[in-house]
mmCIF file of all heavy atoms in Angstrom:
data_model
loop_
_atom_site.group_PDB
_atom_site.id
_atom_site.type_symbol
_atom_site.label_atom_id
_atom_site.label_comp_id
_atom_site.label_asym_id
_atom_site.label_seq_id
_atom_site.Cartn_x
_atom_site.Cartn_y
_atom_site.Cartn_z
ATOM 1 N N PHE A 691 3.608 -4.550 -22.021
ATOM 2 C CA PHE A 691 4.189 -3.485 -21.196
ATOM 3 C C PHE A 691 3.824 -2.139 -21.799
ATOM 4 O O PHE A 691 3.450 -2.035 -22.980
ATOM 5 C CB PHE A 691 5.719 -3.594 -21.134
ATOM 6 C CG PHE A 691 6.202 -4.782 -20.374
ATOM 7 C CD1 PHE A 691 6.803 -5.858 -21.010
ATOM 8 C CD2 PHE A 691 6.052 -4.832 -19.003
ATOM 9 C CE1 PHE A 691 7.242 -6.950 -20.299
ATOM 10 C CE2 PHE A 691 6.500 -5.926 -18.284
ATOM 11 C CZ PHE A 691 7.087 -6.986 -18.924
ATOM 12 N N GLU A 692 3.957 -1.076 -20.974
ATOM 13 C CA GLU A 692 3.784 0.280 -21.470
ATOM 14 C C GLU A 692 4.981 0.684 -22.325
ATOM 15 O O GLU A 692 6.045 0.055 -22.263
ATOM 16 C CB GLU A 692 3.616 1.243 -20.301
ATOM 17 C CG GLU A 692 2.358 0.994 -19.485
ATOM 18 C CD GLU A 692 2.216 1.967 -18.333
ATOM 19 O OE1 GLU A 692 3.163 2.742 -18.115
ATOM 20 O OE2 GLU A 692 1.171 1.940 -17.660
ATOM 21 N N ILE A 693 4.829 1.780 -23.065
ATOM 22 C CA ILE A 693 5.887 2.218 -23.986
ATOM 23 C C ILE A 693 7.158 2.578 -23.228
ATOM 24 O O ILE A 693 8.269 2.333 -23.697
ATOM 25 C CB ILE A 693 5.383 3.412 -24.840
ATOM 26 C CG1 ILE A 693 6.449 3.840 -25.856
ATOM 27 C CG2 ILE A 693 4.959 4.582 -23.955
ATOM 28 C CD1 ILE A 693 5.945 4.879 -26.830
ATOM 29 N N GLU A 694 7.013 3.137 -21.985
ATOM 30 C CA GLU A 694 8.200 3.516 -21.208
ATOM 31 C C GLU A 694 9.021 2.306 -20.812
ATOM 32 O O GLU A 694 10.233 2.423 -20.583
ATOM 33 C CB GLU A 694 7.786 4.287 -19.945
ATOM 34 C CG GLU A 694 7.213 5.670 -20.192
ATOM 35 C CD GLU A 694 5.749 5.634 -20.598
ATOM 36 O OE1 GLU A 694 5.185 4.517 -20.618
ATOM 37 O OE2 GLU A 694 5.177 6.699 -20.909
ATOM 38 N N SER A 695 8.403 1.141 -20.704
ATOM 39 C CA SER A 695 9.130 -0.077 -20.332
ATOM 40 C C SER A 695 9.655 -0.808 -21.568
ATOM 41 O O SER A 695 10.734 -1.404 -21.531
ATOM 42 C CB SER A 695 8.227 -0.998 -19.528
ATOM 43 O OG SER A 695 7.772 -0.363 -18.374
ATOM 44 N N ALA A 696 8.878 -0.796 -22.678
ATOM 45 C CA ALA A 696 9.267 -1.555 -23.866
ATOM 46 C C ALA A 696 10.435 -0.903 -24.608
ATOM 47 O O ALA A 696 11.303 -1.595 -25.158
ATOM 48 C CB ALA A 696 8.070 -1.704 -24.804
ATOM 49 N N LEU A 697 10.495 0.456 -24.623
ATOM 50 C CA LEU A 697 11.521 1.142 -25.413
ATOM 51 C C LEU A 697 12.939 0.817 -24.938
ATOM 52 O O LEU A 697 13.813 0.524 -25.765
ATOM 53 C CB LEU A 697 11.264 2.657 -25.380
ATOM 54 C CG LEU A 697 12.242 3.513 -26.215
ATOM 55 C CD1 LEU A 697 12.228 3.054 -27.664
ATOM 56 C CD2 LEU A 697 11.861 4.996 -26.121
ATOM 57 N N PRO A 698 13.276 0.849 -23.621
ATOM 58 C CA PRO A 698 14.639 0.493 -23.211
ATOM 59 C C PRO A 698 15.035 -0.917 -23.623
ATOM 60 O O PRO A 698 16.179 -1.145 -24.031
ATOM 61 C CB PRO A 698 14.594 0.628 -21.688
ATOM 62 C CG PRO A 698 13.490 1.561 -21.409
ATOM 63 C CD PRO A 698 12.491 1.321 -22.478
ATOM 64 N N LEU A 699 14.089 -1.876 -23.571
ATOM 65 C CA LEU A 699 14.407 -3.240 -23.988
ATOM 66 C C LEU A 699 14.733 -3.281 -25.485
ATOM 67 O O LEU A 699 15.676 -3.955 -25.908
ATOM 68 C CB LEU A 699 13.233 -4.159 -23.681
ATOM 69 C CG LEU A 699 12.897 -4.355 -22.187
ATOM 70 C CD1 LEU A 699 11.624 -5.179 -22.051
ATOM 71 C CD2 LEU A 699 14.042 -5.018 -21.467
ATOM 72 N N GLY A 700 13.956 -2.536 -26.278
ATOM 73 C CA GLY A 700 14.221 -2.498 -27.711
ATOM 74 C C GLY A 700 15.573 -1.890 -28.032
ATOM 75 O O GLY A 700 16.322 -2.394 -28.881
ATOM 76 N N LEU A 701 15.924 -0.790 -27.348
ATOM 77 C CA LEU A 701 17.229 -0.148 -27.599
ATOM 78 C C LEU A 701 18.380 -1.061 -27.198
ATOM 79 O O LEU A 701 19.412 -1.115 -27.878
ATOM 80 C CB LEU A 701 17.295 1.170 -26.824
ATOM 81 C CG LEU A 701 16.379 2.289 -27.335
ATOM 82 C CD1 LEU A 701 16.369 3.456 -26.371
ATOM 83 C CD2 LEU A 701 16.821 2.751 -28.724
ATOM 84 N N ILE A 702 18.244 -1.791 -26.076
ATOM 85 C CA ILE A 702 19.309 -2.712 -25.643
ATOM 86 C C ILE A 702 19.491 -3.822 -26.667
ATOM 87 O O ILE A 702 20.617 -4.164 -27.055
ATOM 88 C CB ILE A 702 18.975 -3.277 -24.253
ATOM 89 C CG1 ILE A 702 19.094 -2.177 -23.193
ATOM 90 C CG2 ILE A 702 19.910 -4.431 -23.895
ATOM 91 C CD1 ILE A 702 18.623 -2.598 -21.822
#
Side-chain angles (χ1 to χ4, degrees):
F691 291 109
E692 296 180 354
I693 183 173
E694 291 81 3
S695 301
L697 182 57
L699 295 174
L701 290 171
I702 290 173

